[in-house]
């Protein structure tokens, strides 16, 4: 084989390897979307009529808010989610300001749920499974105060439940749990492109393992029909 043919063959093999690599990455880098479509559609249907429902809200900060929002969208009884910025020092922050680590905001998810269908302790338990509650200002590959973990409540009774459940779960860890359990001071909705991000971008970054999403889907099944 002459030199030109060798070069051509090398280029062809390089191109084939590149295409194969891209295909493998697309197939493995993000599996969250496989667990999500049906449940999100069901939640959207539930939003049609909330009259008479026992709707409550709670705010979770657990690293990148894309994955945390996805987690709760899978749980039966969660009727709405919204990503945003919680407990910071300025008004109407932008994403650029938040990631500058100068505003004190945490990336958080507002979760509205029907308390007659799902209870708060279950949501907190699932949240703990999606994070490392012993790391300060870090989840997965994300580092900084905006990625700290916390559960923020809007009334004293909810705060009491949060503190009780976190204290129980903390006994499962050898290291101190550093999840904030404080009242919500403020919350600003994030930019539109962050909302339902993993719906819009199925290959987007997600720090939560697929197994946790699968568990969230099964965590609150419909009650068995009475015979």
């Amino acid at each position: 084989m002459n030199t030109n043919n060798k070069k051509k063959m090398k280029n062809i093999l390089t191109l084939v390897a590149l295409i194969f690599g891209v295909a493998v990455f697309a197939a493995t880098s993000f599996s969250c979307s496989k667990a999500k479509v049906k449940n999100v559609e069901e939640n959207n249907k539930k939003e049609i009529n909330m009259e008479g429902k026992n709707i409550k809200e709670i705010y979770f900060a657990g690293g990148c808010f894309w994955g945390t929002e996805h987690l709760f969208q899978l749980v039966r009884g969660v009727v709405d989610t919204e990503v945003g910025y919680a407990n910071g020092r300025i008004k109407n922050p932008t994403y650029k300001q938040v990631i500058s680590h100068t505003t004190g905001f945490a990336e958080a998810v507002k979760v509205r749920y029907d308390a007659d269908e799902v209870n708060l302790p279950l949501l907190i338990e699932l949240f703990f499974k999606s994070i490392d509650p012993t790391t300060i200002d870090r989840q997965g590959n994300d580092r900084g105060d905006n990625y700290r973990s916390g559960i923020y409540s809007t009334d004293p009774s909810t705060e009491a439940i949060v503190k009780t459940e976190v204290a129980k779960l903390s006994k499962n860890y050898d290291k101190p749990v550093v999840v904030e359990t404080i009242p919500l001071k403020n919350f600003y909705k994030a930019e539109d492109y962050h909302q339902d991000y993993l719906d819009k971008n199925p290959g987007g970054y997600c720090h939560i393992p697929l197994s946790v999403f699968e568990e969230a889907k099964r965590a609150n099944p419909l009650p068995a029909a009475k015979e």
Side-chain angles (χ1 to χ4, degrees), residues 49-89:
N49 183 12
M50 288 294 100
E51 185 177 355
K53 299 288 186 179
N54 186 15
I55 305 301
K56 296 185 180 295
E57 67 182 43
I58 189 73
Y59 296 75
F60 291 95
C64 176
F65 48 20
W66 298 340
T68 304
E69 180 183 41
H70 171 68
L71 174 77
F72 291 111
Q73 287 177 334
L74 295 173
V75 181
R76 189 184 71 84
V78 171
V79 299
D80 186 42
T81 60
E82 180 179 276
V83 299
Y85 313 117
N87 288 2
R89 296 186 292 270

Side-chain angles (χ1 to χ4, degrees), residues 28 57 61-62 69 85 87 93 104 117 121-122 135 146 154-155 157 175:
T28 60
E57 67 182 43
E69 180 183 41
Y85 313 117
N87 288 2
E117 290 192 357
L122 176 60
T135 57
N146 55 308
T154 57
D155 63 84
S157 61
K175 298 178 181 178

Side-chain angles (χ1 to χ4, degrees), residues 154-188:
T154 57
D155 63 84
S157 61
T158 299
E159 184 181 1
I161 295 172
V162 169
K163 289 183 179 295
T164 298
E165 294 305 314
V166 169
K168 290 179 182 177
L169 293 169
S170 296
K171 297 177 182 178
N172 299 326
Y173 299 87
D174 295 328
K175 298 178 181 178
V177 166
V178 294
V179 177
E180 294 181 328
T181 56
I182 60 177
L184 182 76
K185 298 176 183 176
N186 51 33
F187 178 83
Y188 296 93

Side-chain angles (χ1 to χ4, degrees), residues 26-37:
T28 60
S29 63
F30 180 66
S31 299
C32 299
S33 59
K34 296 178 182 178
K36 108 184 262 129
V37 176

Side-chain angles (χ1 to χ4, degrees), residues 6 12 14 78 80 89-90 109 118 122 126 169 187 189 211 217:
K6 288 181 179 179
I12 291 172
T14 301
V78 171
D80 186 42
R89 296 186 292 270
I90 66 174
V109 181
V118 63
L122 176 60
L126 289 170
L169 293 169
F187 178 83
K189 181 180 178 181
S211 60
K217 288 175 63 178

